[in-house]
Amino acid sequence: MSDEHDHGGDGGDEDGHHGHDRETFAHDPIGHAEVRAGMTVGELADEYGSAGVGAANLHEAVDVTEAMFDDDVTVFFGLAGAMVPTGMRAIVADLIRDGYIDVLVTTGANLTHDSIEAIGGKHHHGAVHAEGKTEREHDETLRDEGVDRIYNVYLPQEFFATFESHLREEVFPVLEEEGVVPIQRLTAELGRANAEINEREGIDEDAGIAAAAYENDVPIYCPAIQDSVLGLQAWMYSQTSGFSLDALADMTGLTDIAYDTDEAGAFVVGGGVPKNFTLQTMLVTPGAYDYAVQLTMDPKQTGGLSGATLDEARSWGKLEKDADNVSVYADATITLPLVVAAARDRLEE
């Protein structure tokens, strides 16, 4: 036998290596997730922790979210993408009502769709393709029929007219008396109006995110409000009245909250402006985020903001050096309910 075979005969050291230490290796074998009828979503998330790749990331996201949702942590929640029209509205509204979100940063589009549902409109299941038509022909037909498409979700355009009336009758006149107001003042007034109309008209659908935020004193910041039907309507109303919005005025209240927090967490759904606006808040404070969870499908290789990792944010001082953070790369309409449900299952059992 050669010396090589002789050396192998002792089985190596007790960890099974042969000849040298493995600095980055731990004895942590992959388990095999087990599922059964009747298990809770929290138990399912625990099984994810036995597995690898995205399942392990999702399990870690539940761990970080559970820690972040502690009473002593101020949670900044960034909500981008078409989360409201795709059915994620109640999850966010319930988080606000139950005290898990302290600050919401979102898009004007999400607030628009949230308001449409609050006052009686509905989004509908739709199709990306229609039988016998190309996707373009399908969309041309929807255009003729007055239906807007968000992937496989439809929204009849008449709901935008109802929304415009809602703003002009219930929201803007109150703000017009105040002149130039912060965007956050508009989102609060929108929440008040949504709650009142929802109750007055006996709408079957819940009053929603803006209403929950208003009723629970959770500020909503909407830094790119111009990029939405809500922003377009605000601009049109400003052309014939004394009403206008001061975007910089929002920075004071938001920064004050960040400055006063002992521990802070960022839960970021999607990318874009809500993501960066949430993370950059810590740049003008002595601290940074202690916890962060990102649910995204954007890759980091493009160098774009939406795909930028939370580890990269650490280099900017947006996250503490020892922050607990994790990114889950999957459709947020799949991961958001799972992560939130599992974290709440643990916290509320």
Side-chain angles (χ1 to χ4, degrees):
M1 275 190 181
S2 70
D3 288 345
E4 180 181 356
H5 285 98
D6 289 341
H7 287 147
D10 64 5
D13 61 26
E14 62 184 19
D15 289 329
H17 354 136
H18 298 275
H20 62 274
D21 290 333
R22 291 167 169 167
E23 293 182 6
T24 61
F25 178 83
H27 187 70
D28 185 18
I30 290 290
H32 297 281
E34 297 179 7
V35 296
R36 62 186 180 278
M39 69 192 306
T40 68
V41 69
E43 291 168 340
L44 177 62
D46 289 342
E47 293 297 324
Y48 274 56
S50 300
V53 194
N57 288 340
L58 190 135
H59 175 264
E60 186 179 355
V62 175
D63 288 343
V64 178
T65 302
E66 179 187 7
M68 189 193 310
F69 281 176
D70 183 85
D71 289 342
D72 296 328
V73 181
T74 302
V75 176
F76 296 72
F77 197 96
L79 187 69
M83 288 293 101
V84 170
T86 53
M88 302 293 107
R89 180 175 182 256
I91 294 172
V92 180
D94 287 343
L95 284 173
I96 292 171
R97 289 193 187 98
D98 295 334
Y100 291 115
I101 294 176
D102 299 288
V103 174
L104 178 64
V105 180
T106 191
T107 60
N110 274 318
L111 291 177
T112 296
H113 293 286
D114 175 60
S115 300
I116 285 173
E117 295 248 353
I119 61 176
K122 287 299 295 182
H123 299 83
H124 298 265
H125 288 284
V128 179
H129 300 279
E131 187 175 352
K133 293 183 179 180
T134 65
E135 187 169 343
R136 174 169 178 160
E137 290 169 340
H138 175 47
D139 286 320
E140 289 175 350
T141 301
L142 291 174
R143 171 72 174 270
D144 292 340
E145 294 177 354
V147 176
D148 296 328
R149 180 171 72 88
I150 305 168
Y151 189 61
N152 58 2
V153 175
Y154 291 165
L155 179 65
Q157 289 179 357
E158 58 264 29
F159 291 138
F160 285 113
T162 307
F163 177 55
E164 177 182 358
S165 299
H166 176 60
L167 293 173
R168 289 183 166 269
E169 294 168 12
E170 304 290 341
V171 181
F172 293 152
V174 178
L175 298 173
E176 185 176 359
E177 298 177 5
E178 301 175 25
V180 181
V181 299
I183 297 171
Q184 191 269 322
R185 177 73 187 92
L186 168 58
T187 62
E189 195 61 31
L190 182 65
R192 177 204 60 78
N194 289 358
E196 288 188 5
I197 295 301
N198 186 270
E199 183 176 2
R200 184 196 313 165
E201 301 296 328
I203 305 299
D204 289 337
E205 187 56 66
D206 186 88
I209 295 171
Y214 171 77
E215 292 170 345
N216 291 274
D217 296 321
V218 171
I220 297 179
Y221 295 97
C222 186
I225 194 170
Q226 303 96 314
D227 184 30
S228 66
V229 171
L230 174 58
L232 285 171
Q233 291 297 333
W235 168 73
M236 285 192 285
Y237 196 85
S238 74
Q239 300 306 291
T240 56
S241 73
F243 161 74
S244 191
L245 296 171
D246 181 354
L248 293 180
D250 278 4
M251 303 299 289
T252 304
L254 180 61
T255 303
D256 284 348
I257 296 171
Y259 202 95
D260 291 340
T261 184
D262 292 326
E263 283 190 290
F267 194 111
V268 181
V269 182
V273 174
K275 172 184 174 179
N276 192 63
F277 198 72
T278 300
L279 295 177
Q280 77 167 16
T281 298
M282 291 299 169
L283 292 179
V284 289
T285 72
Y289 284 109
D290 302 281
Y291 305 95
V293 171
Q294 174 177 238
L295 308 180
T296 185
M297 287 184 70
D298 293 298
K300 62 185 179 182
Q301 289 84 353
T302 63
L305 179 146
S306 293
T309 65
L310 294 173
D311 293 318
E312 183 181 305
R314 181 178 279 105
S315 76
W316 290 74
K318 298 171 183 176
L319 269 64
E320 296 285 5
K321 286 184 178 180
D322 61 352
D324 291 333
N325 61 276
V326 60
S327 295
V328 181
Y329 292 90
D331 178 351
T333 63
I334 298 170
T335 56
L336 177 63
L338 275 173
V339 171
V340 170
R344 295 194 63 161
D345 195 41
R346 293 181 184 180
L347 289 163
E348 299 167 21
E349 63 180 0

